């Protein structure tokens, strides 16, 4: 007579293997798509830096399409595997969305807000604000210091907004640490702009003095 308990464990193991196969396949697909989304988001930000906002938006739409295609597969197995890698892709995409908003002075479409987790949205916002440091420095190099102050203002406002979020790190997935990093970037950018403004004022004073001396000749 066949041992019923042995038959049962074989049945359970076979069933578990089938489920593991499905989980593994979903995870592999999720990892692949997440890496693709991160690459797309990076290209979108570079396009926005160049002022190519249509191209940037096109890439964002591509990233969202990919995210929507894989999310149901990941959610299905969210209790069986660590799916934080999808949050990395989400966050990078949110960074691109906020960055194009900051550089084009356009509002965030409400359809995007419903597509992401709150931690991905806010951490993406913080990293997009950090990315504005590069934009501010580019303006300084182009001798457009006053324009760089516009980016600093946005960065300051993002810090203020994020500091109003008062939930534990276990809920916000490390938002406080991201906010602290942004605050450091803001202070460095403020210092760079202050030095640039002082240099510009010194140049004006020197030029004014030269003009006065030339008049006395």
């Amino acid at each position: 007579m066949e041992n019923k308990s042995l038959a049962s464990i074989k049945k359970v193991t076979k069933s578990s293997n089938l489920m593991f196969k499905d989980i593994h396949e979903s995870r592999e697909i999720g990892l692949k798509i997440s890496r693709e989304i991160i690459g797309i988001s990076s290209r979108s930000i570079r396009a926005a830096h160049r002022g190519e906002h249509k191209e940037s938006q096109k890439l964002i739409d591509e990233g969202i399409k990919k995210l929507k295609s894989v999310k149901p597969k990941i959610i299905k197995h969210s209790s069986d595997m660590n799916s934080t890698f999808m949050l990395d892709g989400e966050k990078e995409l949110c960074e691109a969305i906020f960055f194009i908003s900051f550089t084009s002075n356009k509002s965030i479409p409400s359809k995007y807000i419903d597509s992401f987790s709150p931690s991905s949205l806010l951490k993406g916002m913080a990293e997009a604000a950090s990315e504005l440091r590069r934009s501010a420095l580019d303006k300084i190099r182009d001798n457009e210091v006053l324009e760089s102050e516009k980016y600093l203002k946005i960065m300051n406002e993002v810090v203020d907004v994020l500091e109003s979020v008062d939930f534990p790190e276990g809920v916000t997935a490390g938002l406080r640490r991201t906010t602290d990093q942004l605050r450091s970037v803001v202070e460095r950018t403020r210092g760079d702009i202050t030095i640039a403004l002082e240099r510009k004022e010194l140049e004006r004073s020197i030029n004014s003095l030269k003009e006065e001396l030339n008049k006395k000749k």
Side-chain angles (χ1 to χ4, degrees):
M1 180 182 293
E2 183 182 3
N3 187 308
K4 290 185 178 179
S5 64
L6 289 178
S8 295
I9 63 173
K10 288 179 180 177
K11 183 178 180 180
V12 169
T13 303
K14 182 179 179 181
S15 175
S16 296
N17 274 326
L18 289 173
M19 286 189 286
F20 275 139
K21 182 182 179 184
D22 192 27
I23 293 167
H24 176 67
E25 288 175 351
S26 296
R27 181 175 180 274
E28 288 299 303
I29 292 170
L31 284 167
K32 178 177 179 292
I33 295 297
S34 182
R35 286 192 292 267
E36 289 177 1
I37 290 172
I38 290 171
I40 287 168
S41 302
S42 179
R43 295 202 303 276
S44 173
I45 290 171
R46 289 200 298 272
H49 269 300
R50 297 191 298 269
E52 299 170 0
H53 291 127
K54 285 186 178 180
E55 176 62 19
S56 180
Q57 185 60 56
K58 180 182 175 182
L59 288 163
I60 286 171
D61 292 341
E62 181 184 344
I64 289 177
K65 185 178 179 180
K66 284 181 176 291
L67 181 65
K68 286 182 175 179
S69 72
V70 76
K71 217 170 182 180
K73 296 183 178 72
I74 302 302
I75 292 173
K76 178 183 174 183
H77 299 297
S78 59
S79 62
D80 300 305
M81 66 177 174
N82 185 342
S83 59
T84 53
F85 57 84
M86 286 306 299
L87 293 179
D88 291 336
E90 274 197 1
K91 181 199 67 175
E92 295 296 317
L93 199 50
C94 287
E95 179 184 352
I97 289 169
F98 277 102
F99 188 74
I100 191 176
S101 172
F102 294 154
T103 55
S104 65
N105 195 27
K106 292 182 180 179
S107 60
I108 304 292
S110 57
K111 65 178 181 179
Y112 290 154
I113 297 172
D114 299 329
S115 300
F116 304 100
S117 68
S119 65
S120 295
L121 279 167
L122 296 188
K123 287 198 289 186
M125 181 198 300
E127 295 195 2
S130 291
E131 188 69 25
L132 286 177
R133 172 174 168 75
R134 175 181 164 185
S135 301
L137 294 177
D138 285 344
K139 290 298 181 182
I140 291 173
R141 292 188 190 95
D142 293 338
N143 202 28
E144 298 177 11
V145 184
L146 295 179
E147 287 295 313
S148 72
E149 288 189 292
K150 294 179 182 179
Y151 293 125
L152 179 62
K153 182 180 179 182
I154 295 172
M155 295 167 77
N156 276 318
E157 289 180 355
V158 171
V159 170
D160 290 344
V161 167
L162 293 179
E163 286 182 338
S164 71
V165 179
D166 188 22
F167 290 96
E169 288 288 88
V171 173
T172 63
L175 178 62
R176 187 175 295 118
R177 183 174 63 256
T178 304
T179 303
D180 289 342
Q181 291 169 345
L182 171 60
R183 191 185 301 108
S184 176
V185 171
V186 170
E187 290 309 313
R188 292 204 309 274
T189 306
R190 190 195 314 281
D192 291 328
I193 291 175
T194 299
I195 291 170
L197 286 170
E198 289 174 348
R199 186 183 298 119
K200 202 172 183 67
E201 183 59 34
L202 179 60
E203 287 174 356
R204 276 199 294 265
S205 297
I206 291 172
N207 289 333
S208 178
L209 179 59
K210 284 180 178 178
E211 288 176 5
E212 288 296 321
L213 291 173
N214 289 330
K215 287 178 182 178
K216 291 179 181 180
K217 287 181 180 180

